DNA sequence: TCACTGTTTTCCAAATTCGAAAAAGCCATT
DNA sequence: AATGGCTTTTTCGAATTTGGAAAACAGTGA
């Protein structure tokens, strides 16, 4: 028998001075009412109610118990109501983690709009180029631009981006031409440490696949800094378009191997597997889906 | 699943940051631990813990819930402890009811001794010549000198007393002699209203039984006042020896029909049927048994 | 004594609970 | 990549518990 139910039933019986009225009130059978009170008495090894078939009065222990239990039940109801409110409204703090560049270029511009939509939701965003452990560090939501490790996390695709090769015009002028993927092997390359295999670049043209093992002249966990290195003529870059676009537009970098169809990279939203996804997470999921897919 | 158990398990899991350590601590299986927390989450329709197989952290709702529930559980434990103390020690108030004369003559003399034995137990004694409803009026214990009505009450025999016939010497001198029970029918009698059948007197001699329907000149619910009426020569009295003894010793009343073996009357302790008899009631039961039987 | 109301007990089918073991997942090490 | 240790979750069948209908029982008033 559920102890908390037993307490509630006991209180109802006391308040109505009757098992049958309490049962009616609580919408349970009279038999259950009787059994629950008995189970409570058994658990406490005490009679709480003096009773015959016509009357009910509290024993001294019962009086004390009732007196103490009523505020406890009220408090319990308050606690439940508080949690209920937390789950049905979009409030509190949403803790996220995402790669620095992705956050800076794609997410931050959306934040003002988000805050207007959900003014009561605090955001706690960690910008970090590493794979944080969502569970260990208490993140509600993570944003990943990479191959996902196997994990108990739930992953939702957020968008796809194209990987492009590029280098600075000056670098290209001073080094051998790059016409095929294999030509890359002769060049110093700028590699991204969070890729599954940083030095293995993977290009596609029609049905044709090329896997090139490049020489890493510089490896970083931050794509923007890699691009800046490329601008300083340090080597060939292989990064998603949302990083490169600024540099290509300004002419600081020049695309190469443009006839090779760029491989797609997926961005993912990941969150700890849960049956009961909090509203705040759902809100962010929906918001990002809407605002990033039609970008 | 017991909700209160679920709360305790949830708190233990939080405190140990581990289902298995919590299970060990609480001496339950790991499976049960997992299921209890799940049932709690289901009841609240919220995830309380982010978890994978290696780590556990609280969600925002879980944090709040844990924070609120810990003091609640403590309070619950206090309440239980308080009741536990009430049932294992002899304290509080014992509410009794008993007939006025019986109380005055037989019980009151024992009270000082009782209070010395159980100094922490308050006594609330109602002296009343009526059959109080123990349940309705919240008595822990009743003392009855009469035939018991059928009832759900538990009755324990406390002692036996002899019914005697008596009248004042002056009355006897002025009225016809009383040699057989049937002679009583010609006399005005003093009857006790709380007897099952006040006007039917029942005397015994060996195997011989006599049931006499007497004429009631005065009927009261108090034996002592009846005896005083007899002293004023109002009629013949039929009362237990503990009432009569004072009057017989002083010579104010004279016994009659002495060859008729006096019928026994029983005194009973009665209390509401209960599985869990409070210590205070047990104490009084034991005390009266000891001090009244060797009287 | 009977009728009526209210509580407890009994009975039994249905639902739930329980633990052991298997499965699944994570992580560090090799 | 594979291994092994550690943890949580799921599965599954046996055992227990639950819950409601009805019977039994008690007190009350007619």
């Amino acid at each position: 028998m559920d102890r908390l139910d037993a307490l509630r039933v006991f209180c109802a019986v006391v308040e109505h001075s009757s098992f049958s009225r309490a049962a009616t009130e609580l919408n349970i059978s009279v038999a259950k009412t009787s059994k629950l009170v008995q189970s409570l008495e058994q658990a406490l090894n005490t009679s709480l109610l003096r009773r015959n078939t016509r009357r009910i009065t509290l024993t001294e222990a019962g009086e004390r118990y009732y007196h103490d239990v009523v505020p406890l039940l009220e408090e319990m109801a308050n606690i439940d109501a508080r949690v209920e409110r937390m789950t049905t409204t979009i409030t509190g703090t949403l803790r996220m983690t995402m790669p620095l560049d992705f956050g800076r270029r794609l997410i931050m511009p959306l934040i003002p709009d988000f805050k207007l939509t959900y003014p009561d939701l605090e955001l706690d965003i960690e910008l970090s180029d590493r794979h944080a452990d969502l569970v260990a560090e208490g993140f509600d939501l993570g944003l990943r631009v990479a191959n996902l490790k196997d994990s108990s996390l739930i992953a939702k695709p957020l968008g796809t981006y194209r990987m492009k090769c590029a280098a600075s015009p000056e670098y290209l002028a001073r080094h051998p031409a790059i016409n095929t993927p294999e030509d890359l092997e002769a060049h110093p390359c700028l590699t991204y440490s969070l890729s599954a295999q940083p030095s293995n670049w993977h290009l596609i043209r029609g049905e044709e696949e090329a896997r090139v093992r490049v020489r890493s002249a510089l490896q970083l966990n931050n794509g923007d800094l890699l691009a800046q290195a490329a601008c300083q003529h340090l080597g060939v870059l292989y990064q998603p378009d949302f990083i490169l676009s600024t540099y290509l537009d300004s002419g600081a970098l020049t695309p190469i191997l443009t006839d090779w169809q760029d491989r797609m990279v997926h961005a993912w939203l990941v969150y700890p597997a849960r049956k009961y996804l909090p509203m705040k997470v759902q809100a962010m999921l929906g918001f990002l889906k809407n605002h990033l897919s039609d970008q």
Side-chain angles (χ1 to χ4, degrees), chain A:
Chain A
M1 297 267 186
D2 186 276
R3 180 72 176 274
L4 223 46
D5 280 349
L7 292 182
R8 279 189 271 264
V9 166
F10 166 63
C11 288
V13 169
V14 171
E15 280 148 22
H16 293 91
S17 294
S18 157
F19 282 71
S20 49
R21 279 197 295 276
T24 311
E25 188 73 21
L26 297 174
N27 258 315
I28 57 177
S29 71
V30 184
K32 186 176 178 182
T33 308
S34 173
K35 285 179 191 172
L36 273 174
V37 171
Q38 283 180 47
S39 81
L40 184 58
E41 290 185 323
Q42 191 178 358
L44 295 172
N45 194 36
T46 312
S47 288
L48 298 173
L49 298 167
R50 283 181 209 91
R51 47 196 186 272
N52 58 23
T53 63
R54 303 297 281 185
R55 283 178 190 284
I56 286 175
T57 52
L58 282 164
T59 64
E60 195 172 14
E63 198 131 11
R64 182 57 170 277
Y65 201 66
Y66 175 75
H67 175 263
D68 289 349
V69 156
V70 166
L72 188 99
L73 285 180
E74 275 172 21
E75 176 60 10
M76 187 74 238
N78 287 340
I79 292 174
D80 286 355
R82 230 171 280 155
V83 168
E84 156 89 7
R85 205 173 321 121
M86 287 185 77
T87 60
T88 53
T89 61
I90 297 175
T91 51
T93 301
L94 178 70
R95 260 176 68 70
M96 295 184 69
T97 175
M98 62 185 73
L100 178 55
D101 298 319
F102 195 92
R104 170 157 54 195
R105 291 167 191 277
L106 297 177
I107 303 301
M108 285 308 143
L110 306 175
I111 296 299
D113 196 0
F114 184 85
K115 289 291 286 186
L116 281 178
T117 315
Y118 304 109
D120 295 334
L121 182 57
E122 315 274 317
L123 291 177
D124 175 1
I125 300 178
E126 180 181 302
L127 293 158
S128 161
D129 291 310
R130 69 190 175 95
H131 281 160
D133 180 336
L134 296 198
V135 169
E137 298 172 49
F139 287 110
D140 297 302
L141 192 56
L143 212 151
R144 299 264 159 97
V145 184
N147 301 344
L148 298 171
K149 288 172 155 184
D150 285 0
S151 152
S152 64
L153 300 180
I154 302 294
K156 299 271 181 195
L158 180 60
T160 55
Y161 302 92
R162 293 176 181 279
M163 298 297 288
K164 290 178 188 285
C165 276
S168 68
E170 187 175 335
Y171 175 91
L172 292 173
R174 290 201 263 174
H175 289 81
I178 303 172
N179 296 314
T180 69
E182 289 70 29
D183 291 343
L184 287 170
E185 291 171 3
H187 289 257
C189 289
L190 307 172
T191 59
Y192 183 59
S193 32
L194 293 179
S195 299
Q197 296 163 314
S199 302
N200 286 323
W201 292 4
H202 185 192
L203 297 102
I204 294 170
R205 181 169 62 183
E207 300 291 291
E208 195 178 352
E209 290 196 28
R211 294 177 181 274
V212 187
R213 176 150 193 93
V214 301
R215 179 168 50 86
S216 175
L218 175 63
Q219 180 161 307
L220 292 177
N221 70 345
N222 183 288
D224 226 344
L225 293 190
L226 276 184
Q228 287 177 27
C231 292
Q232 294 171 288
H233 328 304
L234 290 182
V236 181
L237 188 64
Y238 183 56
Q239 282 288 308
D241 51 10
F242 63 83
I243 300 261
L244 288 182
S245 53
T246 333
Y247 300 91
L248 298 180
D249 290 351
S250 70
L253 295 178
T254 304
I256 56 180
L257 293 173
T258 48
D259 52 339
W260 283 80
Q261 185 185 348
D262 312 311
R263 190 167 66 84
M264 305 296 249
V265 68
H266 295 272
W268 300 89
L269 286 166
V270 297
Y271 47 89
R274 304 204 224 158
K275 290 204 184 97
Y276 317 99
L277 197 60
M279 296 281 286
K280 59 186 182 182
V281 174
Q282 288 180 44
M284 180 59 87
L285 287 177
F287 183 87
L288 290 183
K289 277 256 166 91
N290 287 338
H291 291 73
L292 276 187
S293 44
D294 52 35
Q295 119 254 48

